[in-house]
Amino acid sequence: MRESYKTFVVAVSCALCLGLFAAPTSTSASQNDGSTPLGEPTGNIHFRDICATPLSSNAFVIRWQTDVPTTSAVEYGRTTAYDKKTVEDPKLVCKHEVVLSGLEENQVYHFRVCGSSGPSYPSSCSPDRTFYTLPPPSPELLNGSFDDFGGDSARRLYPWVQYTTGDDTMGYHPIDGLVGPFSPSASASWFGGIRAFDGSYFLGAAANWGCKNGGVFQRVLWPAGTMCVFSVRYVAFNRGGVPLDTRVRVGIDPNGGVDPSSPSIRWWTGTPSANDNRWYLASISAVAGAQGIVTVFIDIRQRWELEWHVIAVDHATLTLPTSISIGALKSSLGDFGVLIEQKRVTFMSNEPVMSIDGSYYKGYIEDEERTAGIAVYFDASGGPIPQIGERINVCGSLVHHNMEAIILASSWSTTPSNTRLPSPLGISIKDVGGAETLVQPSLRCSAGLSCVGLRVRVFGRVVWVDSSLPFWNATAIIDDGTAILNQLPPRGTIPRGLRVKLPGNALGVQVGDYIAATGIISIELVDPKPPAYTGDEYFAYTLLVATPEDWHVVTRQ
């Protein structure tokens, strides 16, 4: 049936009012922004700010205001005959709230709000309004590639539910919704050369001298007490702003709620690290609640009316964690939950890393065969932080943050190890980074296996050093003659070579020194001259050295 393929459009105000008042296939903003009357005066009573908010798939709460204190009642039904009416609440109030229950899922309902206030204000009702009850929970995540057909052979979002967020200042500016067809092999593309990650369609929002905010959600049946991992691929870039102005959030409500502002939702936020049209990973994990229903959210945030905001989202998946090696993970699509077992911790940061969604301690783990390594974010409030040398089991999701593939740990356990860390791999600086994989982006054109996350040993001449904290820690750039351009985007004033973090700089390393160092190849967002986001930032491969014993000056000029 064609009607079962409706696009549901929800409006969310700062007061958390989700009004489902749009036509089935409309992508326009809600008529209710909380500031203007929604109905013409009927009799002597003015009804305004009428809003319908879903409580579940078969219950809604209707809220409205009147200019004079009146009673409260709602007439409703599948047609404008309004075959049902709530019991009239005799209390005289200006702010009204009535709950409708026993509704059918996946249906359109007509309603009008009514009230009276004695002889001076006889019983009156508002004009007709409509809302749509939610579709039933999906047996599994459906239409993750946004390429499913409806009953009329047109692409549909169903069973995704589209919503719009806004406030009294900016108003409601809905996302574009489905965008396409732009297949990966087609000559045609969307803004910025964007083509679908898979299939031909994707979820999108592009604004020129404006902004669009909102997203989609889908409720899915999931065994209670079982972990699920929600992943998407996204493109995000802007012109005229900073990365935080254009971002994508993925979230899971483990209790099956439909309010995108609920505190029970676990979020991860992706931002346009390189401001390009590459597809990046965002994902989040959660344990399903007792009801056995989870709700997954894709939330698009565009801040300020910039020259351009462009966001595309595709390839949504909801999976169980999968036991996998680090090497196999980095050669995969990364669109599943991650279970890494009995790996060695090769590095742990001393200071937490800040993100939009919280603070984390950043560590690195490595396959036993020294074939691959990867970064892990451990929630700073999630339990004991692992130590270098321990063996670890990690369960979580895979994300991109600051151009690096990172496991976002939801749970972990460690055991002590009495053996030394595996010997580092000796590499030349030109081999740092390696070719881009499906999971790990590359900062420059280079060949070979990706060594980001691996423990390596390098040698080179110091061509630049920041010794603002003498005899404590230092950051240096070293070169072994290959003079790699280690900057994305390129910055002509920065010396070529590999950045190296040197702890315990008791010798006071100097330009001209030749040093050898053992550490982890990571990616760092470098800000030469704070404050942040002034246009001089760049990403660079950086060797993280754990202890003063892991580096030394070989010769000094």
Side-chain angles (χ1 to χ4, degrees), residues 53-281:
T53 302
L55 299 177
S56 66
S57 58
N58 55 16
F60 264 71
V61 58
I62 311 298
R63 297 185 178 94
W64 71 96
Q65 295 187 44
T66 51
D67 60 333
V68 295
T70 71
T71 60
S72 306
V74 177
E75 296 179 355
Y76 64 102
R78 296 292 308 282
T79 69
T80 53
Y82 307 117
D83 58 337
K84 295 182 175 63
K85 182 178 180 179
T86 62
V87 176
E88 186 172 30
D89 186 341
K91 290 184 294 186
L92 301 180
V93 295
C94 290
K95 292 186 176 182
H96 308 261
E97 181 175 306
V98 173
V99 174
L100 309 182
S101 58
L103 306 173
E104 296 181 45
E105 292 181 335
N106 205 25
Q107 300 295 336
V108 58
Y109 277 84
H110 294 261
F111 75 98
R112 60 185 182 181
V113 298
C114 305
S116 64
S117 185
S120 299
Y121 298 94
S123 180
S124 302
C125 295
S126 71
D128 177 68
R129 307 295 295 172
T130 58
F131 63 80
Y132 301 96
T133 52
L134 299 176
S138 305
E140 59 186 6
L141 187 74
L142 301 176
N143 198 13
S145 64
F146 303 102
D147 275 287
D148 285 2
F149 288 94
D152 57 359
S153 298
R155 296 300 202 287
R156 290 290 187 266
L157 273 176
Y158 186 88
W160 294 100
V161 177
Q162 184 177 329
Y163 62 89
T164 300
T165 57
D167 56 41
D168 292 338
T169 302
M170 301 298 294
Y172 292 95
H173 304 284
I175 65 174
D176 296 319
L178 281 179
V179 174
F182 299 111
S183 70
S185 59
S187 58
S189 63
W190 199 45
F191 296 102
I194 296 174
R195 296 177 178 85
F197 183 80
D198 59 13
S200 299
Y201 285 76
F202 49 85
L203 187 73
N208 178 219
W209 296 116
C211 57
K212 298 177 180 179
N213 290 280
V216 296
F217 64 79
Q218 185 177 156
R219 297 183 304 151
V220 183
L221 297 174
W222 201 264
T226 303
M227 179 173 290
C228 58
V229 180
F230 179 50
S231 303
V232 304
R233 289 277 178 161
Y234 73 94
V235 177
F237 63 86
N238 66 49
R239 183 180 298 166
V242 302
L244 296 183
D245 293 336
T246 310
R247 56 189 189 265
V248 176
R249 300 195 304 166
V250 291
I252 299 176
D253 188 330
N255 302 314
V258 296
D259 182 356
S261 63
S262 170
S264 66
I265 300 175
R266 295 199 68 219
W267 292 104
W268 171 262
T269 302
T271 57
S273 296
N275 219 34
D276 57 20
N277 62 0
R278 283 188 283 187
W279 289 95
Y280 295 98
L281 270 168

Side-chain angles (χ1 to χ4, degrees), residues 456-521:
V456 303
R457 188 163 181 82
V458 297
F459 170 82
R461 179 179 180 270
V462 177
V463 296
W464 175 89
V465 64
D466 175 9
S467 55
S468 56
L469 295 174
F471 310 111
W472 185 244
N473 297 321
T475 299
I477 296 178
I478 65 173
D479 179 34
D480 61 359
T482 55
I484 66 168
L485 181 62
N486 184 23
Q487 304 138 27
L488 181 70
R491 304 297 185 194
T493 59
I494 308 299
R496 294 188 174 217
L498 175 66
R499 289 177 63 87
V500 183
K501 293 292 188 71
L502 302 172
N505 182 28
L507 296 176
V509 66
Q510 303 170 11
V511 172
D513 289 347
Y514 286 84
I515 68 171
T518 296
I520 309 298
I521 297 295

Side-chain angles (χ1 to χ4, degrees), residues 22 35 47 128 136 191-192 210 283 293 331 443 503 518 527 541:
S35 62
F47 300 93
D128 177 68
F191 296 102
S283 64
I293 300 174
S331 62
L443 300 186
T518 296
D527 186 5
Y541 291 117

